[in-house]
Each structure stands twice: as C-alpha cells, then as structure tokens.
Amino acid sequence: MAKIVVVVGVTGNQGGSVARRFLQDPQYHVRGLTRHPTSDMARELADKGVEVVQADLDDVESLKEAFAGANLIFTVTNYWEPFFRPDCRQEAAQLGISCRKYAYDVEYQQGKNMADAAAATVGSLDRNGLIASTLSHADKCSNGKFKRLYHFDGKADVFPHYVEEKHPELAKKMSCVQTGYFTSSYNLAPQSYFVKQTDDSFVMRFPTSPTKAVPHLAVNEDTGSFVYGVSQMPPGKSYMAESSTCSWTHFMQIWGSVTGKKGTYEQVSSNDMIEAAQDRAFGAELADMFAYSSEPGYDGGDETLLTAADIRKAGIDCPMTTLRQYMETADWSAVFGL
C-alpha cells in the first residue's frame, strides 16, 4: 500500500515542486492541500495523480482531517499573501499595527495550526515524517538587532520552536528545511535586482556586503528534489536548501557572462533600498533581510546546517540546479526591457 505524503500549498512554488517529485515515486500517494481545488494548477496536478484536497490553514480542524493518516507531511507558510492583501492592510490599520506585523501574526497562527494538526496524527507519521519549510530566527540569531524581520521569525517561531515546546513527540519526527534566496525573486523587486543604466549595463543594489556568500535556490526546479532527499535522512536535522552559494558580486558576474550584459553589484544602505521600493513596507522587510544576510548571515550564522552535498554523501540522490544552469534557461527579456 502506498504511503501518503501530504503537501501543503500544493499549487505554490515549493509545494508544487515537492508534489511533482514525490509523484515520480510509486511508493507514495500524494495528497495536495489548497484553498482553491478548482484552479487550473490544481486541476493540472489532479490530472497527474495528486489527490487535491481543500483545506483552510486558518481552521485547524480542516487541517486535522486533511492530515489524517499521513506518513509524511510537508508544510510551508505564506507570509506575503496577507502582507499584500488590501483587506489585510485595512484590518492592520484598524488594529494599529503595521502590515508587516499583521502578516507575521497570520503566518504564525497558520504555522501553529499545521503543527497542532500534524501532532494529532503523529502516530501515523514515518520516523522522519514532518518536513517543514522555514528560515532562521533573525531576532535570536542577531541578538536582538533584527527584531522586525517578520517573514523569517514567523516561520522559525513555529518550526522548530513551537513544535519543540508544545509537541515533543512530533519534534522527534521533524526535519527543518531553510530555503535560500529564490533565483526567481528578481520578479518581485526589479527596482533593486537589475537596475538598467543608460549604457545598457545593469546594477544590483542591496544592503548585503559585496563579499558575503548567501544561498541561492531554484525553488520550482529543486525544492522537490531536496525535500525528497531529506525524507530519506534521519529525523531531527536542519538543512539549507541551496543550489549554489556565492556573494551577490559573484552572482552578477555569472549573470553577466551568461547574458552578455555588463552586471555589477553595489552595496547600499537599508534606507536607500526602502526609498527605491514602490511599496515602502515591502522595501523595509526586504532591506532588513539583506542587511541580516551580512551579519550574522542569511542562515543566522548556523554552520551546522546540512546541504544537498551532505544528502549525497549519505548515498541519496539529490540533484540541484546551479546558478549558471538556471540563468542559461531563464527568460531575461522583461529585465532587458524587450
């Protein structure tokens, strides 16, 4: 009988990648959770064999039903959905809090709901039965310097901290996977990633040190491969899902060699990045992330995190897409202004 792997956010970047990888293994039956089971993406996944289930991340009982009998659960939370929604911003204003803090509250509660629901079926889970997408805890890792990097702490406050505190039996079966900078994120912040100059060259401007190496992940291509590899490892480990690790200076050198364009990196202040953003709250959240990436580092300075190389050392196949490979297949026409 096939094992049941439940994938939260199956129509999203991470969840969709995970679902597609587990579909390749006949040992698994993939149950995908989404709020919109009739969407085009949900129908496409259903046609490929995914059992698409409607679930509400704000309703722990619906999650308990969706998780019931699972052997493996992949969880992911979405800070940015409530962050950008006009009704959420209006409610945040009524509550007298920033949209950044409001989105944290939503993400944190949804993460707790997932943890509580997973704990309700902990007996059916495999030895390494909960794989949680998360990030480092910026407040703790920076000794309080970064107290408002909400889309980091909203994840880390649950995975692993809430699980370890409230559900110790579930924690024994949990692996935490931090995700590197998505290689496709330039689509979200074009005013900082690739700024076109009058001479047809391009400048990238972040508050990160030009020599600080950061992790990069081809999220759609590689999240599934990485999570599948983690699922075959022992539980209780923490990972960094990265396809390549290099500085933004090196990133632009690779990009320039692939595209034939001149590309350079320039470190700017956090205020400069905020001023350049079309949405100041979004700019502030990103500026904190890029500044945090300099010190203590995107991973919080944790040198114990395992990578794809460690998974491969354990004899488990874990192919990843390098930066150059990603850049060679990406469509840069929108960046070039064509």
Side-chain angles (χ1 to χ4, degrees):
M1 185 175 179
K3 292 185 176 184
I4 297 174
V5 53
V6 178
V7 180
V8 173
V10 73
T11 59
N13 292 324
Q14 295 185 56
S17 182
V18 171
R20 289 190 297 271
R21 177 61 186 89
F22 277 90
L23 280 174
Q24 297 174 29
D25 189 338
Q27 294 184 81
Y28 291 97
H29 169 77
V30 180
R31 182 185 298 163
L33 275 55
T34 178
R35 288 177 302 166
H36 306 293
T38 61
S39 68
D40 291 342
M41 179 60 73
R43 288 196 182 103
E44 179 182 330
L45 289 167
D47 289 342
K48 293 179 179 179
V50 174
E51 176 195 358
V52 178
V53 174
Q54 185 173 20
D56 183 354
L57 301 186
D58 295 313
D59 181 358
V60 69
E61 294 304 318
S62 78
L63 288 172
K64 286 181 179 179
E65 182 176 347
F67 286 175
N71 302 113
L72 175 64
I73 299 171
F74 171 74
T75 62
V76 61
T77 53
N78 188 349
Y79 174 87
W80 299 111
E81 197 269 343
F83 179 91
F84 284 114
R85 271 176 45 188
D87 61 323
C88 290
R89 290 204 168 189
Q90 182 178 2
E91 186 171 351
Q94 293 171 349
L95 293 172
I97 60 175
S98 69
C99 62
R100 296 172 67 188
K101 177 59 166 61
Y102 182 94
Y104 164 89
D105 291 342
V106 172
E107 181 175 39
Y108 178 61
Q109 184 60 55
Q110 291 181 345
K112 289 204 308 180
N113 290 345
M114 290 184 223
D116 292 343
T121 193
V122 67
S124 71
L125 294 179
D126 286 347
R127 181 164 162 260
N128 191 16
L130 173 63
I131 301 179
S133 175
T134 189
L135 290 169
S136 60
H137 198 290
D139 187 4
K140 294 178 180 178
C141 293
S142 70
N143 295 317
K145 181 178 179 180
F146 292 92
K147 292 185 175 296
R148 295 183 299 174
L149 187 44
Y150 290 117
H151 78 284
F152 273 55
D153 292 357
K155 298 171 179 62
D157 276 334
V158 179
F159 304 107
H161 299 302
Y162 176 81
V163 175
E164 290 174 344
E165 179 184 354
K166 298 295 184 181
H167 302 298
E169 293 305 309
L170 180 63
K172 293 176 183 178
K173 295 185 173 185
M174 178 176 66
S175 293
C176 289
V177 174
Q178 295 183 32
T179 54
Y181 278 101
F182 295 174
T183 51
S184 56
S185 289
Y186 65 90
N187 293 301
L188 301 177
Q191 70 283 351
S192 295
Y193 262 86
F194 299 106
V195 184
K196 192 172 184 178
Q197 307 298 293
T198 56
D199 63 355
D200 202 34
S201 66
F202 292 81
V203 179
M204 173 181 282
R205 297 188 174 114
F206 298 144
T208 310
S209 166
T211 60
K212 181 70 174 186
V214 297
H216 306 277
L217 173 67
V219 58
N220 298 97
E221 294 83 354
D222 292 345
T223 305
S225 175
F226 194 89
V227 169
Y228 182 84
V230 170
S231 73
Q232 299 174 67
M233 296 283 283
K237 306 292 185 181
S238 293
Y239 299 80
M240 174 57 73
E242 56 184 352
S243 309
S244 298
T245 298
C246 67
S247 68
W248 291 112
T249 300
H250 191 198
F251 180 103
M252 288 302 283
Q253 291 171 348
I254 299 172
W255 183 81
S257 70
V258 169
T259 62
K261 301 288 187 178
K262 181 181 178 181
T264 57
Y265 176 73
E266 176 185 341
Q267 184 179 7
V268 297
S269 70
S270 293
N271 284 338
D272 287 337
M273 187 170 188
I274 295 170
E275 290 298 326
Q278 295 179 344
D279 183 302
R280 289 185 63 85
F282 182 56
E285 186 73 23
L286 292 190
D288 279 350
M289 173 178 66
F290 284 107
Y292 173 74
S293 294
S294 289
E295 181 63 39
Y298 183 88
D299 58 4
D302 186 351
E303 297 181 354
T304 69
L305 296 176
L306 302 179
T307 66
D310 295 298
I311 295 173
R312 289 191 287 266
K313 286 178 184 177
I316 301 166
D317 188 35
C318 187
M320 302 292 279
T321 306
T322 66
L323 263 180
R324 181 173 290 275
Q325 289 170 335
Y326 174 82
M327 291 175 180
E328 287 174 343
T329 59
D331 180 4
W332 299 105
S333 59
V335 171
F336 298 156
L338 301 178

